[in-house]
Amino acid sequence: MSILALVIHPNDILRAVSGAVPIEAIKNYRQLVLDMKETMIARRGIGLAAPQVGQNIRLIIVQTKDGPQALFNPEIKDSSEDQEWGEEGCLSIPGVFGDVERHKKIQCEYFNEFAEPKKLEAEGLMARVIQHEIDHLNGILFIDKGKNIHQN
Ligand code: CO
């Protein structure tokens, strides 16, 4: 495994809409998944999107209670009307924080690293992380929608 270099804002890679991964191609990304997990942990992140390591594909890594999990082609299928504000940062925007409004609860469908279709329900911080990371796949950064954006 290796720790990958992070793409730092501003960079066009962070602004592109990333492409879906064909299900039959998921197995080709085993090493990338391992490296992204290691990179996220090494940088003390709780989420990491593939564009942040220079790959415009729809893959995110999210820290869960069971450790880091890979989500390919994640899609939010349902979300609570209830939203809440919370502070966010981003490994691609070092030292910058701000408050972002996110849905409190979401339902997400995705494929895991073994190309199995999965569903998950998340709320609170986990829901926030997934929404932040999926935004990355659409070229959106938290500073685009946040308030009180500030340097730490
Ligand atoms: Co981010």
Side-chain angles (χ1 to χ4, degrees):
M1 295 200 289
S2 52
I3 296 174
L4 303 170
L6 291 170
V7 175
I8 301 299
H9 168 76
N11 188 303
D12 289 345
I13 293 170
L14 297 176
R15 292 310 194 173
V17 176
S18 291
V21 180
I23 297 167
E24 63 275 14
I26 288 175
K27 63 180 183 300
N28 300 334
Y29 291 103
R30 262 194 85 165
Q31 190 62 48
L32 179 64
V33 166
L34 289 170
D35 290 345
M36 284 180 66
K37 288 178 178 178
E38 187 178 19
T39 302
M40 183 186 75
I41 290 165
R43 300 296 177 216
R44 302 181 195 285
I46 52 176
L48 187 67
Q52 294 182 273
V53 294
Q55 304 272 339
N56 280 122
I57 60 171
R58 301 190 81 82
L59 163 63
I60 64 176
I61 305 293
V62 178
Q63 184 66 276
T64 74
K65 62 184 187 320
D66 302 318
Q69 304 289 323
L71 283 62
F72 283 88
N73 302 339
E75 282 187 37
I76 293 174
K77 292 296 187 180
D78 197 15
S79 55
S80 63
E81 270 183 45
D82 269 7
Q83 302 195 44
E84 62 187 356
W85 290 89
E87 186 172 67
E88 297 187 13
C90 181
L91 292 175
S92 291
I93 315 175
V96 174
F97 298 87
D99 299 322
V100 185
E101 191 173 34
R102 301 286 189 188
H103 298 284
K104 277 189 180 177
K105 293 186 184 179
I106 58 161
Q107 288 187 350
C108 180
E109 294 183 7
Y110 63 99
F111 292 85
N112 69 10
E113 61 197 270
F114 308 108
E116 298 165 330
K118 294 283 182 181
K119 292 180 188 177
L120 68 77
E121 285 193 7
E123 61 179 285
L125 181 60
M126 175 73 66
R128 174 173 299 280
V129 172
I130 291 170
Q131 290 170 82
H132 175 119
E133 301 310 332
I134 290 178
D135 273 354
H136 273 298
L137 304 183
N138 295 319
I140 297 166
L141 302 174
F142 82 94
I143 53 174
D144 302 339
K145 44 170 66 171
K147 291 185 178 169
N148 187 28
I149 303 295
H150 61 279
Q151 290 273 342
N152 190 20

